[in-house]
Amino acid sequence: MNHTERLPRNRTYLMCPPKHFTVEYAINPWMDSTVPVDAVLALKQWEMLRDLLGDLGHQVHVLDAVPGLPDMVYAANGAFSVDGMVYGARFRYAERGAEAEAHREFYALQGWKFAGPQHINEGEGDFAYLPAAYGGMVLAGYGFRTDPAAHAEAQEVLGRPVVSLRLVDPAFYHLDTALAALDDRNVTYYPGAFSPASQRVLAQLFPDAVIADRADAEAFGLNLVSDGRHVILNTEATAMGDKVRAAGYLPVHVDLSELKRGGGSVKCTVAELRH
């Protein structure tokens, strides 16, 4: 399949600028609080990603950053939406807890239906939606951040089947560091991030998946955003870019080196709003 057969679909996204971004605590293996963040560079890189999404024809809403919440730039973690219904986040670590309310307020102002969670979950960090796979399927990660009970809760809220996948490598603590939707029906993933049983589930569900290796995952090459044709991933993930190109997609590289220091890359900074 060539690029002309991979058709993009216009998306609506939510991002939050890194106006207060620092690494002042460590809640994942990528965070090193001893090295100061270049705040000017972080904002510049974020703006380049925001502008790129706009140039590709997508709508980007911007959530105001809140002082004292340095990880708000990772907007994907604040909620998970499907067909106008929002399942809110409840963060594992107290340092990020107040982010959930900022996201809830955004959705309330937008008039979305919102369900507050009873169980710990970190939004699109651990949930991915494929609207054309098996009639509309949610993939959900657990093992480090999201409580598996949140998967059943999300299924009740969203009315979509949820498939639980166990993450086993602390370097890949969120689903979106180990798996990404390339289009509405197919994914790419790094098998070693998942338990053997979850690997078998993924192989059965997605026989045509693009398979990544550990080097791809460590370069945050799976922390990507795709509109079905353009696959946006960071500049370090050159090998991953070659793999998605070979599968018929068009890789677009952006430099998010400063934001990676907080444990996230392209996908972590972009939540998809699914009306």
Side-chain angles (χ1 to χ4, degrees):
M1 179 175 283
N2 60 41
H3 295 168
T4 60
E5 294 173 286
R6 298 284 191 193
L7 299 177
R9 176 169 61 79
N10 287 344
R11 314 288 178 114
T12 303
Y13 296 120
L14 178 65
M15 299 179 67
C16 179
K19 291 181 179 178
H20 309 290
F21 176 61
T22 62
V23 180
E24 47 189 50
Y25 48 77
I27 57 173
N28 68 60
W30 303 93
M31 301 177 87
D32 182 354
S33 60
T34 65
V35 181
V37 165
D38 186 334
V40 174
L41 179 59
L43 182 59
K44 181 181 178 180
Q45 292 177 344
W46 179 90
E47 289 173 340
M48 290 179 66
L49 175 58
R50 178 202 59 194
D51 293 347
L52 172 61
L53 292 171
D55 291 344
L56 291 173
H58 307 300
Q59 182 179 8
V60 179
H61 292 272
V62 176
L63 178 67
D64 290 337
V66 176
L69 296 176
D71 284 342
M72 263 190 81
V73 64
Y74 304 121
N77 302 151
F80 177 58
S81 63
V82 174
D83 293 340
M85 187 71 209
V86 183
Y87 177 52
R90 184 178 177 186
F91 286 86
R92 172 71 62 183
Y93 291 101
E95 290 90 341
R96 300 195 65 184
E99 293 179 41
E101 177 61 18
H103 282 263
R104 188 200 65 76
E105 290 175 357
F106 168 82
Y107 287 104
L109 288 172
Q110 296 288 320
W112 290 65
K113 297 177 182 177
F114 188 93
Q118 297 297 311
H119 299 286
I120 291 172
N121 80 91
E122 300 199 346
E124 281 197 333
D126 272 324
F127 290 103
Y129 183 55
L130 292 105
Y134 306 96
M137 171 184 286
V138 176
L139 302 178
Y142 72 98
F144 298 101
R145 294 293 184 86
T146 292
D147 187 327
H151 297 182
E153 187 175 45
Q155 181 167 280
E156 288 300 306
V157 167
L158 301 171
R160 294 288 183 274
V162 175
V163 175
S164 295
L165 302 166
R166 185 160 74 93
L167 297 162
V168 296
D169 188 327
F172 311 112
Y173 58 95
H174 273 155
L175 183 70
D176 69 5
T177 65
L179 178 148
L182 288 172
D183 53 38
D184 289 347
R185 66 178 71 245
N186 202 19
V187 302
T188 178
Y189 66 96
Y190 165 51
F194 297 93
S195 69
S198 292
Q199 290 180 41
R200 292 195 295 272
V201 169
L202 286 167
Q204 179 177 333
L205 292 176
F206 303 103
D208 299 321
V210 175
I211 302 300
D213 60 24
R214 186 176 185 87
D216 297 322
E218 289 182 340
F220 276 60
L222 290 159
N223 197 244
L224 60 82
V225 168
S226 176
D227 63 13
R229 180 173 189 255
H230 308 97
V231 176
I232 304 164
L233 64 171
N234 74 71
T235 49
E236 292 179 51
T238 53
M240 191 66 210
D242 292 341
K243 288 174 182 173
V244 298
R245 182 183 290 107
Y249 302 90
L250 186 62
V252 182
H253 291 278
V254 293
D255 185 359
L256 287 187
S257 57
E258 205 62 18
L259 294 177
K260 182 185 175 185
R261 294 181 40 211
S265 189
V266 178
K267 177 56 197 164
C268 285
T269 62
V270 180
E272 184 168 350
L273 307 182
R274 303 177 184 85
H275 294 280

